[in-house]
Amino acid sequence: MISLKQIRYALAVGQTLHFKKAAEMCSVSQSALSTAISELEKQLGVAIFERNNKQVLVTKEGELFLQKAQNIKREMDDLVQLSQLSKSVLSTELSLGVIPTIGPYLLPKVLPKVRELYPDFRLQIVEDQSHVLVDMVRRGEIDVAVLALPYPTEGLLTLEFWQEDFYWVSHKDECPTQLDEITSSQMELDKLMLLKDGHCLKDHALEACQLQSVKQRSDFQSASLHTLIQMVAGKLGTTLVPQMALDQLITPQSELRALHLNEPSPHRRLAFIVRPNFVKMQDVSELIKIFKSQLKTADSPI
C-alpha cells in the first residue's frame, strides 16, 4: 500500500529534482528517501523519475502521479486542519506568504496587534515573489498569501483588504517646489528608477502611470525599494513607492520629498489569496479584520 510518507518524499523530489535536497527538506537520510521512492515505483509498476549522477527528470507517468499526489497531500492537510476547527480563532499555526514589496512594510504595522490579541497564535512567514507564492498556495505548501493586485490567481479566492496609491520620490534639490502632486506627464521618465523585471510593483507602477515601459540604466537593476531610495538620496534619479512604505523609507529629517502620484486610483490593491476549500477561513477573516484596522490607524503619508 502506498503511504503518505512515500507521497511526501516523491513530491519533494519532484519539487527539487534532487534526491539530496529532497531528503534534507523531509529531514531524512538520502538513502531512506531513495529506498522509499524505489519501493513506491515498484508498487506502481512505473518509473516516476529518471536519474543518473548528473540530473533527475520526471517521467510522463511521473508527472501524472505527482499531480494526483499533490491533490492527495492537499486533501490530507485539510483533514488534519479539520481537527483544529473546534479550537478558538487564531489559536493554531498558519503559514503566510508575502512579497518583498509588502512584507517589510505591512507586517510591522499589523503583527504587534495580532500578537497582543492572540498571544498563542503562531504565524510562519514565507517571503518570495508573487508567482512562487501563488504556486505554493495552490500546492498547499503554504496556507495563504498576501499579494498586490492585479495579478493572475486563477483557481484561488482573492480577498481584498486594502487599497493604496504610489508616491513619486525625489531629492529635495530636484523636486519642483510648487507641486503638491505630480502626474506621469510631469515626471522626467529618463530619471525614473523602478525595480527589476519580475517584481509586480514595477508592473503596477507602470500601469498607474499608463506606461508600457521606461528606459532604465542597464548597469543598475534593484530588487529592493531601500536600494532605490538610497540611489534617489544620491541624486541618481527618482522612483515610485507605495504609500504603505513611506514611513519606513522617508523620515522627516530626510533629504527626500514624496509627492502623491495624481493618476486614477487606486494604484494597487492588497489581498489575501487562499484555496477555495481552505478549512481555516475564520482565521483568515480575523486577520483581514486586524489588518484593515491597523492600516487605517497607520494611514499617514509623509
Side-chain angles (χ1 to χ4, degrees), residues 254-265:
S254 172
E255 289 299 309
L256 304 178
R257 189 173 180 214
L259 297 181
H260 177 251
L261 178 62
N262 187 9
E263 297 291 347
S265 299

Side-chain angles (χ1 to χ4, degrees), residues 10 19 22 30 112 117 124 133 157 204-205 208 222 232 249 259:
F19 273 66
Q30 184 175 343
L117 295 175
Q124 178 188 352
L133 296 180
L157 296 178
H204 294 155
S222 175
V232 176
L249 296 176
L259 297 181

Side-chain angles (χ1 to χ4, degrees), residues 39-178:
E39 180 63 27
L40 172 62
E41 291 176 321
K42 187 182 300 183
Q43 289 173 297
L44 292 172
V46 298
I48 303 172
F49 304 106
E50 293 179 8
R51 55 267 208 190
N52 54 39
N53 292 332
K54 294 184 178 180
Q55 63 180 349
V56 175
L57 299 175
V58 181
T59 66
K60 180 178 289 188
E61 294 83 1
E63 289 179 357
L64 180 60
F65 171 82
L66 292 178
Q67 181 181 350
K68 292 183 178 299
Q70 186 65 63
N71 293 335
I72 292 171
K73 179 181 179 299
R74 188 162 51 239
E75 293 295 331
M76 287 303 301
D77 289 343
D78 287 343
L79 281 176
V80 172
Q81 290 179 347
L82 280 175
S83 65
Q84 302 174 339
L85 289 181
S86 59
K87 299 181 180 179
S88 58
V89 66
L90 294 183
S91 60
T92 57
E93 185 173 275
L94 192 76
S95 52
L96 170 70
V98 290
I99 58 177
T101 56
I102 290 180
Y105 314 108
L106 170 67
L107 298 182
K109 293 177 169 64
V110 299
L111 291 190
K113 191 65 176 179
V114 173
R115 190 177 302 112
E116 175 190 337
L117 295 175
Y118 300 98
D120 296 330
F121 176 57
R122 300 184 304 278
L123 191 62
Q124 178 188 352
I125 305 294
V126 177
E127 186 178 78
D128 218 314
Q129 292 190 20
S130 299
H131 70 280
V132 175
L133 296 180
V134 168
D135 286 342
M136 291 182 75
V137 173
R138 284 198 181 113
R139 294 195 299 263
E141 294 176 14
I142 57 176
D143 296 321
V144 295
V146 173
L147 300 186
L149 304 180
Y151 193 85
T153 58
E154 289 83 4
L156 300 174
L157 296 178
T158 58
L159 307 171
E160 292 188 32
F161 64 91
W162 194 247
Q163 298 179 346
E164 63 179 354
D165 286 352
F166 287 111
Y167 281 72
W168 178 77
V169 180
S170 71
H171 194 280
K172 288 181 178 179
D173 294 345
E174 300 180 345
C175 181
T177 56
Q178 73 277 13

Side-chain angles (χ1 to χ4, degrees), residues 12-30:
V13 175
Q15 181 179 340
T16 61
L17 296 180
H18 197 287
F19 273 66
K20 182 178 180 181
K21 292 180 181 178
E24 292 172 353
M25 180 184 298
C26 297
S27 301
V28 297
S29 67
Q30 184 175 343

